[in-house]
Amino acid sequence: GIWLGLAPETASVAILASGLPTGANVFILANRYRVFEAPVVSAVVVSTAVSLGAITLLIAWLAPRLNARVIQAASLTVCSLAALVLLF
C-alpha cells in the first residue's frame, strides 16, 4: 500500500479481493459460446474452494490492520464461499 500511495484500509481490501475466486462471468461466457466449458467449470469450483482458505488466512493476517466493518464483510464473504463449496 505504501508504494502505491494507498491508505491502509484500501490496501487491505485490495489484498482481500485478490483471494476471491474466479468470477461467474467467465462461466456465463463459456457456456453461451460453448467454448472451454469443462475447464472453466473446473476453474470456478477449484478457485472457490481454494479462496475459502485463502480469504480466511488473509483475514487472520490483516485483522490487526482492519476495522470491524471490513472484517465483518470479509467474514460474510467466507461464509458465502463455504455455502458455495457445500453446494458443489
Side-chain angles (χ1 to χ4, degrees):
I2 295 171
W3 301 288
L4 298 175
L6 298 175
E9 280 187 355
T10 305
S12 297
V13 170
I15 291 168
L16 282 173
S18 71
L20 292 174
T22 302
N25 291 338
V26 176
F27 171 75
I28 292 168
L29 290 172
N31 192 14
R32 179 176 179 165
Y33 294 109
R34 303 284 182 207
V35 293
F36 301 113
E37 291 177 272
V40 167
V41 168
S42 298
V44 170
V45 170
V46 169
S47 68
T48 301
V50 169
S51 69
L52 181 61
I55 291 178
T56 302
L57 292 173
L58 286 170
I59 291 171
W61 180 60
L62 293 170
R65 301 170 187 84
L66 299 175
N67 67 28
R69 218 170 39 172
V70 175
I71 291 173
Q72 182 182 17
S75 299
L76 288 173
T77 300
V78 169
C79 291
S80 299
L81 290 171
L84 285 173
V85 168
L86 290 175
L87 287 175
F88 289 110

